[in-house]
Amino acid sequence: MTTTARNRMRLLVPAALAALAVSATTAAASTPSAAPTAHSVTAQEHQSTAKNPKAMLDAWLRLWNGDYTQAPGIISPDFTVHAALLDGGDGSSIRGADGLVAWIDQTRAAFPDLRFSLQIDPLVAKDHASVRWTATGTYAGGFPGAKAQPGTTVTFTGTDTLRIKNGKFVEYWLNSDTLQLLTQLHAL
């Protein structure tokens, strides 16, 4: 496998599997546009969100559903990812809001209409939040080793756990059903 293919695989699968939401975000998840939203987030909105973990989770869902303007208000410059990547990496190379947005953007290149929704309400305890999610999207092609045709609909699940510090997400643990996705992409 080439270095380019390995890097694409490292970035693509875990990002496609990562998302978090709260029950109040169901309407946001069904927004028809898959393109990043041009919504301008004010400093006051960022301050309000930072004091409310459920509002932060709502912004997290909007971020994963393509509204990249959410990242600065909820992602710490010290943000790190903990995930088992397909290339054997641990996700630690994905840092801060810019790194996360690049990871999400890479995912959306292969699944441009990817939409995340909740399976259950989130659990929030002190400085941690965790939820079980479902993601559905249409495969656009380009995944290394995939034999699925572009246009194939995929659905997969996972659980996200995030740690909050000073009103922003600083750590992210991803546990996703990679086997479910790879099977649908005929990549096994």
Side-chain angles (χ1 to χ4, degrees), residues 14 82-86 88-91 174 178:
H82 307 280
L85 304 179
L86 291 180
D90 63 4
L174 169 63
T178 305

Side-chain angles (χ1 to χ4, degrees), residues 77-167:
D78 299 325
F79 181 82
T80 59
V81 174
H82 307 280
L85 304 179
L86 291 180
D87 69 354
D90 63 4
S92 62
S93 64
I94 302 163
R95 307 284 299 187
D98 290 342
L100 180 61
V101 167
W103 195 32
I104 295 168
D105 196 44
Q106 187 76 11
T107 299
R108 298 188 75 75
F111 304 94
D113 64 347
L114 196 60
R115 304 308 293 171
F116 295 93
S117 62
L118 257 195
Q119 285 186 341
I120 61 170
D121 288 340
L123 301 173
V124 177
K126 297 184 183 179
D127 63 347
H128 285 83
S130 185
V131 358
R132 177 82 175 158
W133 49 262
T134 298
T136 301
T138 307
Y139 176 55
F143 187 89
K147 295 177 184 88
Q149 293 296 313
T152 300
T153 300
V154 296
T155 299
F156 49 94
T157 59
T159 302
D160 288 353
T161 301
L162 292 127
R163 184 169 67 89
I164 303 165
K165 182 178 178 183
N166 298 325

